[in-house]
Amino acid sequence: RGCARYQGDSQESSAQPSSSHRGQSQLRSVAFSGAIKKHQKSLSAWFSHQPNEERQFGPSFSLDAVHVDPVIRESSLEEILKPSPDLTIQNQLQQPSRKVISLHNLFDVDACGRQVKNVVLYGTVGTGKSTLIKKMVVDWCHGRLPRFELVIPFSCEDLSHSHAHVSLRRLITKKYQHLRDVVPVLEASNLKVLFILNGLERLKLDFRLAGTELCCDPNEPVPPSAIVVNLLRKYLLPEASIIVTTRPSAARRIPGKYVGRYAEICGFSDTNLQKLYFQMRLSQPGCSGEESQGRSSAEQENLVEMLSRNLERHNQITAACFLPSYCWLVCTTLHFLYFTRTVPPSQTLTGIYTSFLRLNFSGEVLDSTDPTQISMMKYVAKTVGKLAYEGVMSRKTCFSEEDLRQCFEVEMKTESELNLLEVFRSDVFRFFLSPCVQPGKEHTFVFTIPAMQEYLAALYVVLGEKKTLAQRVGKELSEVIGKVSEDVAVVLNIISKVLPLRFLPVLFNLLKIFPRYFSRVGGRDRDTIAHTMAEELFKEEDYYNDDVLDQINSSILGVEGPMRHPDDVPDDEVFELFPIFMGGILSRRNRAILEQLGCSIKNLAAFEIAKAMKKTVIRKGRRGLPPSELMDYLFFLHEFQNERFTAEAIRSLRAVNLSSVKMTPLKCSVLASVMSTTGHEVEELNLTSCNLDSGSLRTLFPVLLRCKALHLQLNSLGSDACKEIRDLLLHDKCAVSSLRLANNPVGEQGARYLAEALAGNRSLTQLSLLHTELGDPGAEAIAQHLAQNQHLQELNLGYNSLTDTAALRVVEVAKRHETLDKVHLYFNDISEDGKRALDSLRMDRDGVRALVFLTAGTDVSDYWSHILNVVQRNLPFWDRDRVRQHLALLLQDLESSRSQTANPWRKAKFLRVESEVKKMLGKLQDGSL
């Protein structure tokens, strides 16, 4: 039966040798060769062109540089015609045992030895059909597809918009003018021609003779769909080869007798293909940008390694990357997270996901034969979006088969709705949902990429799909009455002039009340969206989670460390991206892209939601937020892309605490971008332990200028960073009055840069260089320039290995300083002689206080508790043995000073301080501190 199925092939075996020889010689003519070369050049330029998303989210790569062929398996009409499988895990995990075939071998002879002429290449959304065809055309243009002498690609989407009758000859020359000399002899030349018909689901084809008449003349004008039908029938240009790409639901529209081979694109079903794609994509020279090429190259290798390990663990990302399009999304997201130095408005996480959907759906209707012509993305938002939203509200990421039935089938009422569901199941379902790979959850489904659940839930809410039955009926009734009232109003105006009845104006006003009432209900709906956004953005149970960017990073690269035991209690699900996506979807750019996908969000609706958000989001944002939650709030403002709204929100933030948030280049760019919407002074910016470097400081430079108190402790800031800080402090608009650089490897060279800054700065009053590896040379450099400063009031040089000479030099300069009041010198290598010399300087100075020991002569220092608190706070970052030695010296000094005083009150104070030091030493010994 399989051998008899394909009738169109039987004509080829009777090819005449003589005519073939003449055709070959005709092909070799100069005119034909030149025309085809021009055609190849034109096609190569067009098909090598990358979409905007490629250039927008990272460097643009050539198709040859990053292309990995997906797995293609031979199929059959019987496989396609099988009823759609139930939404079960077993059907999703079923591995096909069909033969694997390469793209270049699709036209090899079939099992019966017949030469294949027509090939149907089908695959679900996201498997890479269009990219595969691009690669095929580019290969032919560069001589890597010698089987064919001429390739003529057609877009079925383009053909579907043409309703005028046109001949095949005119159609070809209209699209490809270089072939105008080749087309007239196309049929007689025995040219090995390949027609490519991409996206057949866009066309309405009728293979019945009553629907599409036979046509064998390339010069006869007929509808474009008739040209396609007759090409596939082999009635028009019977010797031409044809490859058709389509979704599974449309593959059955072509009668099996016209198809020589069915082939299914199965994506990257082999993990090695996924690794190869990531290796090629993330290792490209331009991936990390031009700056810091050496460091970025190592970071690229590290990313690839971590991603490979995560794939090998067969986590959920392995199932997601079965689809090549999701591999693109993973790479694009990683580029956004790791290699974004500045964030232009076009680069947002919401923008990446919106563009990702445009790349895969591009405004396609779900079923071209359905009268509703609902767009695929609109259908997804209404159905899958509902499932996603209910999951977010119930804190659920795994869905049972019953959950899916409730979502997709509960409202099925018409034949059209059922047909649309069947098309969705066969073409789109696996793009969004895949079987869960976690042990114990094999019979459930999860969203292919976790963040996609939150994006679709946000889209579902913002589109207004979350309505009660009364709201939906009311809206429809309001629209109907509103339209009728316009017509009735005209009639009533005419009647009132002829019959001045008193009740007519009353009736006229009643007709207007109903639409007005429901417009107010619509306004309440906007308030509900804003309220939902605020509630989800500031959930207190999420306050101490990682920020959302770190969460995305972990979902892609995994979490290093021992794997969780299946019996362990799982962590609560976190959905902090949901409100951020809601804000991002409302941005003008994303609304424009969603409009192309059939999901319309009107300007008025976006304006009213933003207006309602001022009452909720900004008010709640004024409360003190934990650092990770504050980073999420700033990221939300960046995604929202509303400058006026962001400026109003930022003005209410006087103190910004981001301590312990890992400030990647992207987060620094987001912070700088959001803070740049307003020019107000920031009272305090806390960036303690944020993994900052010199590049981070350059990015944040405009923000740092406006900060009064700047905390940069524990950031591994070396001399390069100090150079940036010098430029900051010397800037004429610098407002920094307090700068804390404790526990950074500043070193001697860094101290020289800071000393230069001190000489010319006019705003700084407090500078902490506690434990910054200055040594005597660094302290000497600061002492040399300190005299030129006229505003500094407090200088901390504690724990810097200073000896007597450097300490005395600093205090001597401080003694002559007009404003310097306090110098911290504790935990340095100062001898007893040095201490006495410092004491004498202190005694004879009008008020300069040198904090060196816990004692001051024969009394306890007023700052003993301050010194011990500093030690306790910094102990995790200091050398414990050295701290123990210093505490022992302090204890000896306390005991010595106590023995020198006879005052019982002073002795009691000494004993109290000694007990605190002994307690700290004891905790250090047993490791409890």
Side-chain angles (χ1 to χ4, degrees):
R1 184 176 61 183
C3 296
R5 181 181 63 202
Y6 181 57
Q7 305 295 326
D9 291 339
S10 59
Q11 301 179 13
E12 187 192 285
S13 58
S14 59
Q16 302 90 342
S18 59
S19 63
S20 175
H21 177 71
R22 288 195 302 273
Q24 291 298 323
S25 61
Q26 193 173 9
L27 173 65
R28 302 295 184 266
S29 68
V30 176
F32 273 39
S33 178
I36 291 177
K37 283 182 179 178
K38 289 180 181 179
H39 177 60
Q40 287 177 324
K41 185 177 179 181
S42 175
L43 280 183
S44 178
W46 177 256
F47 280 86
S48 297
H49 178 74
Q50 297 289 359
N52 289 335
E53 287 74 12
E54 284 284 2
R55 299 192 299 275
Q56 186 177 347
F57 302 109
S60 182
F61 305 116
S62 68
L63 202 58
D64 289 337
V66 295
H67 181 77
V68 177
D69 284 332
V71 173
I72 303 174
R73 298 183 185 274
E74 280 205 72
S75 185
S76 63
L77 183 60
E78 287 75 14
E79 287 283 335
I80 299 172
L81 292 177
K82 280 182 181 178
S84 296
D86 293 333
L87 304 177
T88 61
I89 188 70
Q90 289 81 8
N91 287 323
Q92 291 297 317
L93 290 175
Q94 205 169 25
Q95 292 295 326
S97 57
R98 303 187 300 272
K99 174 186 173 184
V100 175
I101 187 170
S102 71
L103 182 65
H104 291 184
N105 294 332
L106 288 175
F107 290 93
D108 288 353
V109 295
D110 62 10
C112 300
R114 295 178 181 272
Q115 185 67 44
V116 172
K117 286 292 185 181
N118 288 356
V119 173
V120 171
L121 186 64
Y122 70 94
T124 58
V125 173
T127 49
K129 300 182 293 294
S130 297
T131 304
L132 201 62
I133 290 302
K134 278 186 175 183
K135 182 65 166 56
M136 189 177 191
V137 173
V138 171
D139 281 351
W140 175 75
C141 292
H142 293 101
R144 294 191 290 266
L145 195 64
R147 181 192 294 268
F148 301 106
E149 295 162 320
L150 180 61
V151 170
I152 303 176
F154 285 118
S155 164
C156 292
E157 179 186 10
D158 184 27
L159 296 179
S160 68
H161 295 307
S162 176
H163 303 291
H165 288 210
V166 64
S167 67
L168 176 60
R169 176 179 175 179
R170 173 61 184 145
L171 185 64
I172 295 173
T173 54
K174 182 180 178 182
K175 306 296 180 186
Y176 306 107
Q177 60 176 349
H178 299 300
L179 299 179
R180 59 181 177 271
D181 296 328
V182 179
V183 171
V185 291
L186 200 59
E187 191 173 16
S189 63
N190 280 341
L191 206 59
K192 293 178 182 177
V193 181
L194 172 65
F195 285 97
I196 297 176
L197 303 172
N198 188 31
L200 191 75
E201 67 274 359
R202 305 291 188 100
L203 285 174
K204 295 180 181 179
L205 302 181
D206 190 349
F207 282 84
R208 299 172 303 151
L209 288 176
T212 305
E213 63 179 352
L214 296 173
C215 174
C216 63
D217 184 2
N219 298 313
E220 182 180 346
V222 292
S225 59
I227 293 176
V228 172
V229 168
N230 281 291
L231 282 171
L232 291 168
R233 284 172 173 167
K234 290 301 170 197
Y235 204 74
L236 182 62
L237 297 185
E239 296 302 320
S241 298
I242 301 172
I243 184 168
V244 171
T245 67
T246 183
R247 303 200 306 258
S249 63
R252 65 192 71 177
R253 297 180 192 172
I254 306 175
K257 64 181 180 180
Y258 299 131
V259 181
R261 174 171 283 126
Y262 290 94
E264 181 182 8
I265 304 179
C266 298
F268 294 156
S269 54
D270 185 351
T271 308
N272 290 324
L273 291 178
Q274 299 175 8
K275 289 183 182 179
L276 179 61
Y277 179 91
F278 292 131
Q279 179 73 35
M280 295 174 68
R281 183 67 187 256
L282 293 174
S283 299
Q284 290 294 308
C287 182
S288 57
E290 297 177 0
E291 296 182 4
S292 307
Q293 193 64 43
R295 186 194 66 182
S296 296
S297 177
E299 195 168 22
Q300 287 172 267
E301 293 175 5
N302 186 45
L303 281 180
V304 173
E305 179 62 28
M306 292 178 67
L307 195 52
S308 296
R309 285 203 300 268
N310 204 20
L311 291 171
E312 288 166 2
R313 286 194 287 261
H314 298 286
N315 287 338
Q316 200 63 51
I317 190 173
T318 310
C321 293
F322 165 83
L323 294 173
S325 58
Y326 274 104
C327 292
W328 178 89
L329 180 61
V330 166
C331 288
T332 303
T333 305
L334 285 176
H335 184 274
F336 180 68
L337 292 175
Y338 281 89
F339 303 119
T340 302
R341 306 302 177 202
T342 57
V343 277
S346 59
Q347 286 203 4
T348 63
L349 188 66
T350 315
I352 289 175
Y353 276 76
T354 307
S355 298
F356 169 69
L357 293 173
R358 194 197 72 80
L359 277 174
N360 287 279
F361 294 97
S362 62
E364 288 186 55
V365 296
L366 183 60
D367 183 3
S368 60
T369 63
D370 185 77
T372 62
Q373 294 292 293
I374 185 171
S375 78
M376 200 182 300
M377 198 59 229
K378 180 71 171 177
Y379 186 87
V380 167
K382 291 166 70 72
T383 55
V384 188
K386 179 183 177 184
L387 179 73
Y389 174 74
E390 290 176 354
V392 169
M393 291 296 103
S394 59
R395 289 295 189 260
K396 184 167 67 173
T397 58
C398 296
F399 303 92
S400 66
E401 296 168 29
E402 183 58 31
D403 293 330
L404 299 182
R405 289 194 183 94
Q406 285 292 323
C407 175
F408 295 113
E409 299 179 9
V410 71
E411 296 182 3
M412 291 290 109
K413 296 176 183 177
T414 65
E415 182 73 13
S416 174
E417 289 174 338
L418 187 59
N419 290 338
L420 287 174
L421 178 60
E422 287 299 314
V423 173
F424 171 79
R425 279 181 172 179
S426 65
D427 295 354
V428 190
F429 176 82
R430 282 178 289 178
F431 184 84
F432 291 105
L433 293 160
S434 60
C436 184
V437 300
Q438 293 181 22
K441 296 184 179 181
E442 292 85 355
H443 296 276
T444 59
F445 290 88
V446 297
F447 278 82
T448 310
I449 289 284
M452 187 59 75
Q453 177 180 353
E454 298 176 76
Y455 181 93
L456 292 178
L459 184 61
Y460 178 76
V461 173
V462 173
L463 284 176
E465 295 295 335
K466 186 179 75 69
K467 289 188 176 75
T468 62
L469 180 62
Q471 285 175 320
R472 290 179 182 176
V473 172
K475 182 183 178 183
E476 293 173 2
L477 195 59
S478 172
E479 289 175 354
V480 170
I481 292 180
K483 292 176 182 177
V484 170
S485 66
E486 293 176 4
D487 299 331
V488 173
V490 175
V491 176
L492 288 178
N493 280 330
I494 296 172
I495 294 175
S496 64
K497 292 178 181 178
V498 180
L499 300 173
L501 301 178
R502 294 182 179 180
F503 71 90
L504 288 179
V506 177
L507 180 62
F508 178 73
N509 289 326
L510 283 174
L511 286 169
K512 294 182 177 179
I513 288 175
F514 199 78
R516 286 176 185 172
Y517 172 76
F518 275 98
S519 69
R520 291 179 183 176
V521 173
R524 290 176 190 168
D525 186 43
R526 311 280 191 257
D527 290 340
T528 303
I529 293 174
H531 180 74
T532 301
M533 200 180 302
E535 288 297 317
E536 292 296 319
L537 189 61
F538 301 110
K539 272 187 176 293
E540 291 189 8
E541 56 263 41
D542 296 335
Y543 268 16
Y544 298 99
N545 299 326
D546 291 339
D547 63 80
V548 291
L549 294 174
D550 283 348
Q551 291 174 30
I552 296 170
N553 183 65
S554 298
S555 71
I556 294 175
L557 299 180
V559 179
E560 296 295 324
M563 294 183 67
R564 181 191 298 275
H565 192 275
D567 297 332
D568 290 347
V569 177
D571 296 331
D572 292 335
E573 299 294 348
V574 177
F575 296 96
E576 294 183 81
L577 269 174
F578 169 54
I580 292 174
F581 277 143
M582 287 178 69
I585 287 170
L586 287 170
S587 71
R588 184 180 297 275
R589 180 182 174 277
N590 286 317
R591 284 190 286 118
I593 297 175
L594 287 168
E595 180 79 35
Q596 299 171 20
L597 297 176
C599 299
S600 178
I601 304 170
K602 302 299 183 185
N603 287 333
L604 181 60
F607 173 77
E608 289 177 347
I609 293 172
K611 187 177 178 181
M613 283 166 57
K614 291 183 179 181
K615 305 173 187 176
T616 54
V617 174
I618 294 180
R619 177 169 52 82
K620 291 192 174 187
R622 291 192 181 104
R623 302 182 305 188
L625 298 173
S628 62
E629 196 71 11
L630 179 57
M631 187 68 239
D632 290 347
Y633 182 44
L634 296 173
F635 189 59
F636 165 81
L637 295 174
H638 167 70
E639 293 284 313
F640 191 34
Q641 294 291 301
N642 186 322
E643 192 168 328
R644 291 177 62 186
F645 181 92
T646 300
E648 188 170 341
I650 290 299
R651 282 193 199 98
S652 64
L653 295 178
R654 291 294 174 181
V656 179
N657 181 10
L658 295 173
S659 60
S660 300
V661 173
K662 185 180 179 182
M663 294 299 290
T664 62
L666 172 62
K667 293 177 192 175
C668 291
S669 298
V670 168
L671 176 59
S673 173
V674 169
M675 297 295 288
S676 68
T677 57
T678 177
H680 79 287
E681 281 191 352
V682 180
E683 293 293 332
E684 182 180 5
L685 176 60
N686 191 343
L687 296 175
T688 301
S689 189
C690 288
N691 291 79
L692 299 180
D693 57 16
S694 56
S696 307
L697 296 180
R698 277 194 296 273
T699 303
L700 293 171
F701 192 91
V703 180
L704 303 181
L705 277 176
R706 294 154 39 200
C707 298
K708 291 184 178 179
L710 186 56
H711 300 265
L712 299 176
Q713 304 98 301
L714 293 162
N715 278 297
S716 301
L717 299 177
S719 58
D720 289 342
C722 290
K723 190 175 181 181
E724 300 296 330
I725 295 172
R726 178 199 64 184
D727 296 341
L728 171 73
L729 294 175
L730 292 177
H731 197 282
D732 57 354
K733 293 185 179 179
C734 177
V736 178
S737 60
S738 175
L739 175 61
R740 298 183 183 275
L741 286 169
N743 300 305
N744 283 298
V746 170
E748 179 185 346
Q749 183 58 49
R752 295 186 187 282
Y753 288 133
L754 294 176
E756 293 176 26
L758 278 176
N761 178 267
R762 298 180 181 179
S763 62
L764 198 63
T765 59
Q766 294 178 327
L767 175 62
S768 174
L769 296 174
L770 175 70
H771 190 221
T772 50
E773 303 177 11
L774 300 183
D776 284 355
E780 181 64 31
I782 288 175
Q784 287 177 3
H785 290 77
L786 194 56
Q788 301 172 47
N789 180 279
Q790 298 178 1
H791 303 278
L792 194 65
Q793 298 174 10
E794 184 175 352
L795 176 64
N796 191 334
L797 299 179
Y799 201 161
N800 274 298
S801 303
L802 304 188
T803 61
D804 297 354
T805 305
L808 287 168
R809 171 78 172 125
V810 170
V811 175
E812 284 173 356
V813 174
K815 183 178 176 181
R816 297 189 295 272
H817 198 281
E818 292 183 6
T819 59
L820 190 57
D821 177 62
K822 195 184 300 180
V823 179
H824 301 250
L825 292 170
Y826 39 81
F827 274 56
N828 281 302
D829 301 332
I830 300 174
S831 66
E832 283 294 324
D833 292 338
K835 180 194 171 187
R836 283 192 291 271
L838 288 170
D839 275 342
S840 65
L841 282 174
R842 180 183 64 83
M843 293 295 290
D844 103 274
R845 157 65 172 113
D846 327 325
V848 69
R849 286 165 287 181
L851 282 58
V852 185
F853 288 91
L854 301 180
T855 60
T858 57
D859 198 357
V860 174
S861 169
D862 293 338
Y863 299 96
W864 70 268
S865 60
H866 170 78
I867 295 173
L868 291 182
N869 284 334
V870 169
V871 173
Q872 191 159 356
R873 282 199 310 268
N874 291 278
L875 195 57
F877 323 109
W878 289 359
D879 184 344
R880 287 176 175 258
D881 289 335
R882 187 171 177 186
V883 170
R884 194 180 295 112
Q885 292 173 12
H886 276 287
L887 286 176
L889 289 173
L890 291 176
L891 187 59
Q892 289 176 14
D893 182 59
L894 285 167
E895 292 171 347
S896 174
S897 297
R898 177 165 55 86
S899 65
Q900 295 174 19
T901 182
N903 187 317
W905 174 246
R906 289 184 179 180
K907 283 183 180 289
K909 287 170 67 178
F910 275 116
L911 288 171
R912 180 190 172 194
V913 179
E914 285 175 32
S915 68
E916 292 292 332
V917 176
K918 288 177 181 178
K919 190 186 300 182
M920 190 176 290
L921 274 169
K923 289 182 178 180
L924 270 174
Q925 294 289 350
D926 59 26
S928 60
L929 189 61

